[in-house]
Amino acid sequence: MKKIRVLQQLADAGVVAVLRADSPEEVAEMARHAIKGGIKAIEITMTVPFALRAIEELSKQYSSSAPPDADNFAIIGVGTVLDAETARAAILSGAEFVVAPALNPDTIKLCNRYSIPVMPGTMTVHEIQSALELGADIVKLFPGNLFSPSVIPSIKGPLPQANIMPTGGVSLENLKDWIKAGAVAVGIGSDLTKEAVQKGDFTLIEKKAGAYMEAYRSAKGL
């Protein structure tokens, strides 16, 4: 039941913040500002040194079991997972969903074993079909900047059951197009954090997160 709840929460959140940084402290601070700005789904990438520390810290501070309007409500997940071993370590550290840049069957099987939502990276219809056959509930279209939003209805023609989350290349300007095309959610990476990092002001992440959530609500007619 928890897996179903988390999947629904991810779909309701609509925007996943994909966070990379030079330290666990820095990425945790990024996450806090993104959450404060309204993005409730956080993906801590395993490219962050000692990323599991950040996942553990954030998982203690935030909970997907809290009421959606509570200050401590957020879904903490892990990204850039290349293998099943990394997925298991992140799950033990508190990650509630797993995202991968590519399709790795062992990672999907491991997540299914522990009833954890998994989003493998895919680029082709063959990869999307393979991910669905392995039991992935959401597939990440990656890199999203290689496609236009019109690719989603094209994929959903033969695979209407595919829940697709584009990541990479999603911006405030095209978010509405991706959502209108049928994306179940979108992943936002460097566009959310780059200005804040350049200026050394993480409150800018909060403001950008708010803008993304406003764009998402507008696209959904909320």
Side-chain angles (χ1 to χ4, degrees):
M1 293 298 291
K2 180 181 177 181
K3 179 180 180 179
I4 296 172
R5 171 175 58 79
V6 171
L7 283 167
Q8 186 59 59
Q9 288 172 332
L10 286 168
D12 291 343
V15 178
V16 178
V18 183
L19 301 180
R20 303 182 188 276
D22 295 327
S23 71
E25 294 80 13
E26 184 178 37
V27 81
E29 191 62 19
M30 287 178 174
R32 293 185 186 99
H33 282 285
I35 293 167
K36 193 173 181 181
I39 296 179
K40 298 300 185 177
I42 303 296
E43 175 186 331
I44 304 298
T45 65
M46 287 302 295
T47 54
V48 178
F50 305 104
L52 297 181
R53 293 182 186 174
I55 292 170
E56 185 173 358
E57 179 182 340
L58 291 167
S59 295
K60 290 177 180 178
Q61 183 175 358
Y62 299 97
S63 171
S64 66
S65 298
D69 57 350
D71 290 340
N72 68 326
F73 171 78
I75 317 155
I76 307 299
V78 61
T80 320
V81 174
L82 304 183
D83 49 49
E85 294 82 0
T86 302
R88 182 59 177 150
I91 293 167
L92 289 172
S93 294
E96 292 194 286
F97 65 92
V98 173
V99 185
L103 180 61
N104 180 275
D106 288 340
T107 299
I108 298 175
K109 291 175 184 177
L110 181 285
C111 291
N112 286 338
R113 184 178 303 137
Y114 295 102
S115 292
I116 296 293
V118 57
M119 301 173 231
T122 59
M123 289 183 66
T124 66
V125 172
H126 178 266
E127 289 180 337
I128 293 172
Q129 179 177 325
S130 296
L132 294 175
E133 290 171 351
L134 287 164
D137 295 286
I138 298 174
V139 294
K140 180 172 80 166
L141 187 66
F142 179 77
N145 56 9
L146 297 182
F147 304 91
S148 71
S150 64
V151 73
I152 292 184
S154 296
I155 293 169
K156 281 182 167 288
L159 297 173
Q161 71 275 28
N163 294 311
I164 300 170
M165 181 180 77
T167 302
V170 179
S171 65
L172 283 171
E173 289 69 33
N174 64 24
L175 183 149
K176 183 176 182 178
D177 296 330
W178 283 110
I179 296 298
K180 292 293 187 183
V184 67
V186 296
I188 307 298
S190 61
D191 188 59
L192 178 66
T193 60
K194 61 184 178 182
E195 184 182 6
V197 172
Q198 290 170 354
K199 296 183 177 180
D201 181 2
F202 282 6
T203 63
L204 295 175
I205 295 175
E206 184 178 330
K207 295 176 182 177
K208 199 68 172 284
Y212 267 107
M213 292 312 301
E214 183 178 349
Y216 173 74
R217 287 189 292 269
S218 175
K220 296 290 286 187
L222 300 176

